[in-house]
């Protein structure tokens, strides 16, 4: 029987939403493994909009759900509609949207909060003992989802790792093509573009993360 996996997106574009390669690689691997996938995103405004060509902030506003629908080819739902009993696992790709739209980690660091609808959905998976995968910078949410002692990785960046440690997480350094598994909590994390220099490097870790999440489910 195929596993049902919820994927939370945070917009569309590395600098202000979901990292596109990470998102597509996640969805591709889930499809290759025969999983049924439903994408979600919070129905909320982005922190800001970045011109990905010039790298500059644009004077306009966009909605996270509407932008994330680009990645999901329109097949996406408001995260408030998500019900943990409908799924076997949850995965969050990275990109600055995880630190700007799913949380305010990019602004508040260790004092960050998680978007309430995203936090409620993710914590439901934690309470149900269902596996969760957090990619790239998304492990910044781990301590808020699971509480102190959760084991995770963002790669080896000392400042980011220190912020996660201050939040109560136990950070482990990790190579780009590897994963860190908190077996007690069924949490799987991988650095992806926190370390990757190419889409191929990114794929190695994401494929392992998806495979392990499905195994734990």
């Amino acid at each position: 029987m195929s596993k049902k996996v919820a994927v939370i997106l945070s917009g569309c574009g590395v600098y202000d939403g979901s990292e596109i390669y990470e998102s597509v690689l996640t969805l591709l691997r889930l499809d290759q493994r025969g999983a049924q996938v439903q994408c979600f995103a919070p129905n909320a405004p982005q922190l800001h909009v970045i011109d990905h060509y010039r790298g500059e902030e644009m004077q306009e506003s966009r909605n996270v759900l509407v932008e994330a629908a680009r990645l999901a080819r329109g097949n996406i739902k408001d995260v408030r509609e998500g019900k943990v009993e409908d799924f076997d696992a949850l995965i969050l790709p990275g990109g600055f949207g995880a630190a700007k739209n799913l949380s305010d980690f990019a602004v508040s660091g260790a004092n960050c909060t998680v978007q309430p609808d995203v936090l409620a959905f993710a914590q439901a998976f934690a309470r149900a003992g269902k596996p969760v995968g957090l990619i790239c910078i998304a492990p910044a949410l781990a301590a808020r989802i699971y509480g102190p002692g959760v084991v995770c990785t963002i790669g080896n960046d000392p400042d980011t790792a220190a912020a996660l440690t201050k939040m109560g997480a136990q950070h482990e350094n990790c190579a780009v093509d590897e994963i860190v598994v908190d077996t007690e909590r069924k949490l799987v994390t991988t650095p992806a573009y926190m370390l990757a220099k190419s889409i191929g490097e990114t794929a190695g870790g994401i494929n392992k993360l998806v495979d392990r999440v499905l195994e734990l489910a």
Side-chain angles (χ1 to χ4, degrees), residues 118-129:
V118 172
L119 182 62
F121 195 34
Q123 286 183 331
F125 281 85
R127 288 193 298 270

Side-chain angles (χ1 to χ4, degrees), residues 16 47-52 54-60:
D16 57 11
L47 173 66
H48 57 202
V49 178
I50 300 296
D51 178 336
H52 281 62
R54 296 179 176 83
E56 301 171 352
E57 185 173 350
M58 300 172 66
Q59 298 305 309
E60 63 176 86

Side-chain angles (χ1 to χ4, degrees), residues 2-162:
S2 63
K3 303 298 182 181
K4 297 180 179 179
V5 181
V7 175
I8 299 180
L9 301 175
S10 59
C12 182
V14 58
Y15 299 125
D16 57 11
S18 287
E19 211 293 319
I20 293 174
Y21 290 173
E22 291 178 3
S23 302
V24 172
L25 287 167
T26 299
L27 296 172
L28 172 62
R29 188 60 173 179
L30 286 166
D31 186 68
Q32 289 173 336
R33 292 296 307 275
Q36 299 179 47
V37 177
Q38 177 60 60
C39 291
F40 293 92
N43 187 4
Q46 294 184 182
L47 173 66
H48 57 202
V49 178
I50 300 296
D51 178 336
H52 281 62
Y53 179 61
R54 296 179 176 83
E56 301 171 352
E57 185 173 350
M58 300 172 66
Q59 298 305 309
E60 63 176 86
S61 62
R62 296 185 186 180
N63 180 279
V64 178
L65 178 59
V66 172
E67 290 302 295
R70 297 174 181 271
L71 281 169
R73 294 174 63 87
N75 182 19
I76 195 166
K77 295 181 179 180
D78 186 330
V79 71
R80 284 177 289 188
E81 298 179 38
K83 297 179 180 179
V84 67
E85 57 267 27
D86 293 338
F87 298 97
D88 300 297
L90 171 69
I91 298 179
L92 279 66
F96 276 106
K100 293 178 177 180
N101 303 327
L102 303 187
S103 72
D104 61 353
F105 182 78
V107 176
S108 303
N111 296 316
C112 75
T113 59
V114 179
Q115 200 275 344
D117 300 322
V118 172
L119 182 62
F121 195 34
Q123 286 183 331
F125 281 85
R127 288 193 298 270
K130 294 183 176 182
V132 174
L134 301 176
I135 297 168
C136 190
I137 193 61
L141 283 62
R144 297 292 184 254
I145 296 169
Y146 292 94
V150 62
V151 180
C152 61
T153 189
I154 48 79
N156 57 23
D157 179 72
D159 292 337
T160 308

